[in-house]
Amino acid sequence: MSATRRAAVLGSPIAHSLSPVLHRAAYAELGLGDWAYDRYEIDEAALPGFLEKLGPEWAGLSLTMPLKRAVIPLLDEISATAASVEAVNTVVLTSDGRRAGDNTDIPGMIAALEERGVRQVERASVLGAGATASSALAALSRICTGEVTAYVRSAARADEMRGWGERLGVTVRTAAWEDAAAAFEAPLTIATTPAGTTDALAAAVPDRPGTLFDVLYEPWPTALATAWAERCGAVVGGLDLLVHQAVLQVERMTGCAPAPLAAMRAAGEAALAAR
């Protein structure tokens, strides 16, 4: 057997990550018996030293918070997609020793929406203004033909979102979080906030909602997703995003395409059900 090829997910905290489950399921389905995928608790201070110690058996890394921006100065190149939001969640380690950064969150969002039949919308709403919200704007820059309204908690966050909109070529209007129920008037609402943040909005879901993309996968379903589904609205969840971005990571790291979406999703669902 050839030497084991290695990949891993890095971040802090990392114990909750489903990435090992998804990637290992892909390796099993693809017959990559000599591949291993692990998780490492790594913060910004430890990242440079970790990267320096990687040997030629390493094929790639998945990155979560707080490393998506911190890794950029340590790379030899980054894709235009990653540069657009200044965030790298995927590092491919090439045979000549180079470190290439990419962002699969953005195309993962687009693929997850497309799977549910959402290919283009005339306007959209974003709940929140963190790192995931900027990725959402990047995704919307490709599928939204009109205005995006971002519902935020502070003037500083509003400025950030408008700035990202200008950079990404998206017309962004900002509104106060207190008015967030109005977000549901758009055909697509993307919720990017931490667990519990949108629970109070569940009662405001209209009788005929459009599509909700709630990026959380644990706990799931959220109160908002439950209320949305009860009113027969389409719901895209955080596991959909996680699986689609992991599919792209597997393809980039292993060179095997297409990655086994169904097997990876089934493994993720089983892992969440067992928690």
Side-chain angles (χ1 to χ4, degrees):
M1 179 182 292
S2 61
T4 299
R5 295 287 281 155
R6 300 189 64 186
V9 60
L10 315 181
S12 182
I14 201 62
H16 68 287
S17 176
L18 278 180
S19 291
V21 170
L22 303 181
H23 284 252
R24 290 168 187 168
Y27 298 165
E29 191 76 9
L30 293 167
L32 300 177
D34 57 341
W35 280 69
Y37 190 100
D38 301 294
R39 63 164 69 91
Y40 291 90
E41 181 86 16
I42 301 289
D43 61 14
E44 291 139 303
L47 182 60
F50 184 90
L51 291 178
E52 286 302 321
K53 294 177 182 177
L54 299 181
E57 73 276 15
W58 282 86
L61 301 168
S62 308
L63 302 178
T64 185
M65 299 305 291
L67 305 178
K68 293 184 179 183
R69 208 154 276 173
V71 75
I72 293 175
L74 307 175
L75 302 176
D76 296 299
E77 60 186 87
I78 66 171
S79 67
T81 300
S84 73
V85 290
E86 297 178 357
V88 167
N89 78 327
T90 307
V91 177
V92 175
L93 304 165
T94 63
S95 57
D96 60 358
R98 293 178 64 79
R99 303 169 185 163
D102 199 0
N103 185 309
T104 63
D105 286 331
I106 295 166
M109 282 186 175
I110 294 169
L113 285 165
E114 187 171 304
E115 186 180 32
R116 302 303 173 87
V118 181
R119 294 176 175 81
Q120 189 177 86
V121 292
E122 64 272 17
R123 58 193 176 94
S125 300
V126 175
L127 301 177
T132 306
S134 62
S135 291
L137 285 181
L140 289 169
S141 73
R142 306 184 190 182
I143 66 169
C144 183
T145 59
E147 185 177 76
V148 176
T149 304
Y151 293 84
V152 299
R153 292 190 180 276
S154 70
R157 288 294 200 180
D159 287 342
E160 286 179 18
M161 289 297 281
R162 285 192 294 268
W164 280 116
E166 291 176 11
R167 178 169 180 167
L168 294 164
V170 182
T171 302
V172 175
R173 181 177 72 85
T174 56
W177 183 260
E178 290 73 22
D179 299 324
F184 307 151
E185 298 169 8
L188 171 63
T189 299
I190 304 180
T192 70
T193 51
T197 307
T198 62
D199 288 0
L201 295 172
V205 177
D207 289 335
R208 299 181 66 182
T211 298
L212 171 69
F213 193 159
D214 194 326
V215 303
L216 293 172
Y217 65 84
E218 193 175 20
W220 187 262
T222 62
L224 181 60
T226 297
W228 206 277
E230 287 173 351
R231 291 163 177 77
C232 299
V235 176
V236 184
L239 184 61
D240 297 310
L241 169 58
L242 193 66
V243 170
H244 276 284
Q245 66 82 27
V247 160
L248 297 169
Q249 288 185 333
V250 168
E251 292 174 354
R252 284 159 172 69
M253 292 178 192
T254 68
C256 298
L261 173 68
M264 294 169 71
R265 175 178 276 131
E269 289 172 346
L272 285 175
R275 289 185 173 181

